[in-house]
Amino acid sequence: MGLKSNRNFSISKGPMSFDQFLKEIAPLLGLQWRPFQRRGIKRKVERRIYELGFSCFDEYHLKVRQDPDEKGSLSKILTVTLSRFFRDQEVFDTLGHSIFPPILQNKAEGELNIWSVGCASGEEPYSLSLLWNQQFKKDYPEVRLFVLATDIDEKMLRRAKEGRYKKSSLREMPMKILQEYFNEEDGLFVLHPSIKGSVEFKRHDILTEEPFLGMDLIFCRNLVFTYFSKESQIKVLAKLFRSLKETGYLVIGKDEALPLVYPTLFIPLFSDQKIYQKFTPSPQ
Ligand SMILES: C[S@@+](CC[C@H](N)C(=O)[O-])C[C@H]1O[C@@H](n2cnc3c(N)ncnc32)[C@H](O)[C@@H]1O
């Protein structure tokens, strides 16, 4: 019988509280513990403890320390996977009028490489492909868009490849795009195959794995600079720097900030939209 999500998985009161558990375990996962203090997350962790047959946070703490797979499972519980199409629409507007044009000016042909890190169920990379199709594809027939979308969670990637969405994830979508690229089926909105085929999905852990290289633009929103510890943020920032071409662009979440590093790796271009450009000092 399936477990109901609203069930109360009460576990016994061991010596370790939920807060202590998170404080000790988060750094082991490369995360910071502060944002997780929400009732929903506690319930999900308790449910996991119950499913594994443990009875308190202390026992689970030991399990996570000893089992790398369980570290992955707990990381998934602690990071939110919600996304939506054209999230923070002004960012996509700015991209359309101020970022794509200068990239394309220097690129009469070849590939425009974009990487969406922590892509959830595909809303972000598909939005980038939709923007390209709507505004640029016709004028740049010799340029091929390559959108790479990565996530640590296989389940999210499977959903992304299916390309079927609830109305709630489409609320920032311009109506024209919705009508042109989606069909409604059984209350879900199904993305057109031509857009589905334009994004390559891969499982990838941005914290522990090497970056993909040669990117013109990286979207890394609502993951690294929200959930990761400062140390992990700095580590990932260096990877993103390496991944980008010399004048490449980095977009982070609207409520996020880059950690301070010296020497500077990125300069802000559109501070409100959190759009940065890779900083390459000119030779003396
Ligand atoms: C809140 S969603 C962000 C989705 C999208 N970027 C946005 O801003 O709408 C965070 C995503 O990061 C993924 N994630 C968590 N840890 C990760 C890691 N170490 N490497 C890659 N993806 C990760 C989660 O599975 C989740 O799908």
Side-chain angles (χ1 to χ4, degrees), residues 76-135:
K76 280 181 204 160
I77 294 173
L78 297 182
T79 48
V80 169
T81 54
L82 276 185
S83 186
R84 58 184 184 272
F85 280 86
F86 292 91
R87 182 177 200 166
D88 303 318
Q89 240 239 293
E90 324 80 71
V91 173
F92 289 87
D93 294 343
T94 308
L95 224 58
H97 57 67
S98 302
I99 304 294
F100 275 16
I103 298 180
L104 290 164
Q105 241 167 37
N106 303 320
K107 204 187 284 281
E109 55 186 311
E111 279 191 342
L112 169 61
N113 295 326
I114 304 182
W115 182 11
S116 163
V117 179
C119 64
S121 27
E123 296 85 342
E124 183 176 273
Y126 285 143
S127 300
L128 289 159
S129 178
L130 286 164
L131 177 73
W132 167 259
N133 272 266
Q134 273 277 303
Q135 293 187 21

